[in-house]
Amino acid sequence: MKKIIFTALPFLLASGGIFYWYHDNYGTNDYYTKINQAGTRTYIGEGAGHKVYKYRYKLASFNAYGEELDIDFNSRKDHPMKKDAYLIVHVNHKKGVMGWEEIAKSQLPKKAENHLN
């Protein structure tokens, strides 16, 4: 029995450590926001012989519990985002915004929706 415990214990500790590290570096929390302002066109760099621009947004966002977080992110292309669009934003506490996608208003949690209207 002792052999099994001493064999399994390091494996369990290593697995727990790997899970914690992965969640800390790549795990995200979902926040909800609404595009209620025009983004700022920002120069990103050079690509394929042309200048690359994206639109930068600084918006208030809310999680499903109604807690606020100010977020800062860029559009994916050189086009402003659709006005009054609702987004779910995936935020890592170390790296910031990891991604976002547009959602319908009906998909908003009630507490987040109350703050966004």
Side-chain angles (χ1 to χ4, degrees):
M1 185 65 171
K2 285 184 180 179
K3 273 187 169 180
I4 294 172
I5 291 173
F6 286 117
T7 303
L9 189 61
F11 174 75
L12 292 173
L13 289 173
S15 296
I18 290 169
F19 175 79
Y20 174 78
W21 173 84
Y22 181 84
H23 182 69
D24 196 44
N25 288 293
Y26 296 103
T28 60
N29 296 314
D30 291 338
Y31 284 83
Y32 302 87
T33 191
K34 181 179 181 180
I35 304 297
N36 55 12
Q37 61 183 346
T40 306
R41 191 169 189 234
T42 307
Y43 175 74
I44 300 296
E46 299 278 332
H50 347 157
K51 295 181 179 182
V52 178
Y53 294 90
K54 293 189 178 185
Y55 283 81
R56 185 175 190 160
Y57 295 87
K58 293 182 182 186
L59 301 168
S61 63
F62 301 90
N63 65 11
Y65 305 106
E67 298 166 343
E68 184 174 2
L69 177 70
D70 292 329
I71 56 172
D72 185 3
F73 65 99
N74 293 326
S75 64
R76 291 190 179 123
K77 297 182 179 180
D78 185 14
H79 301 288
M81 297 178 71
K82 205 175 359 173
K83 183 93 164 121
D84 295 328
Y86 291 96
L87 303 178
I88 182 171
V89 183
H90 310 294
V91 180
N92 177 278
H93 75 277
K94 283 185 175 181
K95 299 178 181 180
V97 175
M98 301 287 286
W100 52 265
E101 54 194 286
E102 188 174 343
I103 60 172
K105 184 177 180 178
S106 61
Q107 294 176 283
L108 290 173
K110 288 295 178 200
K111 290 186 179 178
E113 184 179 355
N114 292 340
H115 290 287
L116 294 173
N117 289 327

